[in-house]
């Protein structure tokens, strides 16, 4: 079995308390999500898994930004998630140098409009381990997409965060039907 670790949206605008859309930052901080993501990256690197960090962002000037979207629509007004801005930098504590590949996505799912699937197929990956923020959005969307592309999917519950604990728990309950929900400490047991 060939495995990849995929970490989602551990970026300043989303997960740092000073971020422009940091709805998940408090939950992420209370759960130690950045530290756990770093542990997952290190374990994955030690096992020679493909390590991928994905971040959502829009082209300079927001030319590819869906202004009609209820989810993304007003981001251009607050200058969030723009390519080249500090908000798109990884959280300062994330060990992004452990990533083999960094992908910028233009929507919620890490697969939409990106080279993620091609990169996984090129390495003959058949199992993905997903973590990130927000559990209710990017994690759910990416896990569902990975499932529908016939990957074996694991979710690192303790390396994920949402706006609230209730959203996180509800997401994990739903994802448990299509993925194996595990914790970072369980990674060592995966071959």
């Amino acid at each position: 079995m060939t495995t990849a670790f995929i970490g989602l949206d551990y970026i300043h605008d989303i997960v740092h308390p000073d971020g422009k859309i940091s709805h998940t930052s408090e939950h992420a901080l209370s759960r130690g999500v950045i530290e756990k993501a770093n542990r997952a990256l290190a374990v994955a690197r030690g096992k020679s898994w493909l390590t991928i960090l994905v971040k959502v962002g829009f082209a300079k000037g927001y030319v590819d930004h869906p202004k009609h979207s209820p989810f993304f629509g007003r981001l251009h007004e607050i200058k969030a998630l723009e390519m080249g801005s500090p908000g798109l930098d990884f959280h300062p504590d994330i060990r992004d140098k452990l990533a083999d590949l960094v992908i910028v996505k233009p929507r919620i799912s890490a697969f939409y409009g990106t080279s993620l699937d091609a990169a996984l197929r090129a390495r003959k990956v058949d199992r993905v381990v997903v973590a990130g923020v927000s559990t209710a959005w990017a994690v759910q969307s990416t896990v569902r997409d990975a499932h529908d592309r016939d990957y074996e999917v694991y979710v690192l519950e303790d390396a994920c965060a949402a706006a609230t604990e209730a959203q996180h728990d509800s997401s994990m309950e739903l994802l448990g039907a299509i993925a194996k929900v595990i914790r970072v400490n369980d990674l060592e047991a995966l071959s």
Side-chain angles (χ1 to χ4, degrees), residues 20-180:
K20 293 183 178 176
I21 52 170
S22 60
H23 312 295
T24 61
S25 64
E26 187 175 317
H27 192 238
L29 181 63
S30 71
R31 304 187 88 236
V33 163
I34 298 297
E35 174 193 333
K36 290 174 181 136
N38 284 334
R39 284 181 43 213
L41 280 163
V43 169
R45 178 57 73 88
K47 291 176 167 281
S48 298
W49 294 351
L50 180 63
T51 53
I52 303 170
L53 289 175
V54 181
K55 53 184 167 179
V56 61
F58 301 102
K60 201 94 168 133
Y62 297 95
V63 295
D64 61 346
H65 171 250
K67 292 178 179 64
H68 64 280
S69 165
F71 193 80
F72 290 123
R74 298 189 61 230
L75 294 178
H76 68 288
E77 294 172 11
I78 61 171
K79 302 284 187 212
L81 304 180
E82 185 177 22
M83 295 296 287
S85 73
L88 230 59
D89 292 344
F90 286 108
H91 186 285
D93 296 333
I94 202 79
R95 294 178 61 201
D96 59 305
K97 300 291 187 248
L98 293 177
D100 296 312
L101 182 62
V102 173
I103 292 176
V104 179
K105 61 184 174 125
R107 298 296 185 273
I108 298 169
S109 172
F111 287 95
Y112 183 87
T114 73
S115 62
L116 178 58
D117 194 51
L120 296 173
R121 304 257 183 232
R123 290 281 297 263
K124 299 192 180 344
V125 168
D126 44 15
R127 175 173 57 197
V128 295
V129 178
V130 180
V133 293
S134 159
T135 315
W137 295 104
V139 174
Q140 274 210 49
S141 182
T142 300
V143 166
R144 291 169 190 268
D145 211 341
H147 168 270
D148 288 351
R149 293 168 189 265
D150 298 324
Y151 292 101
E152 181 179 343
V153 186
Y154 286 73
V155 180
L156 285 182
E157 182 276 332
D158 56 342
C160 297
T164 66
E165 187 71 22
Q167 280 185 4
H168 174 78
D169 291 344
S170 173
S171 296
M172 287 301 156
E173 182 179 350
L174 289 169
L175 292 176
I178 60 170
K180 293 179 177 97

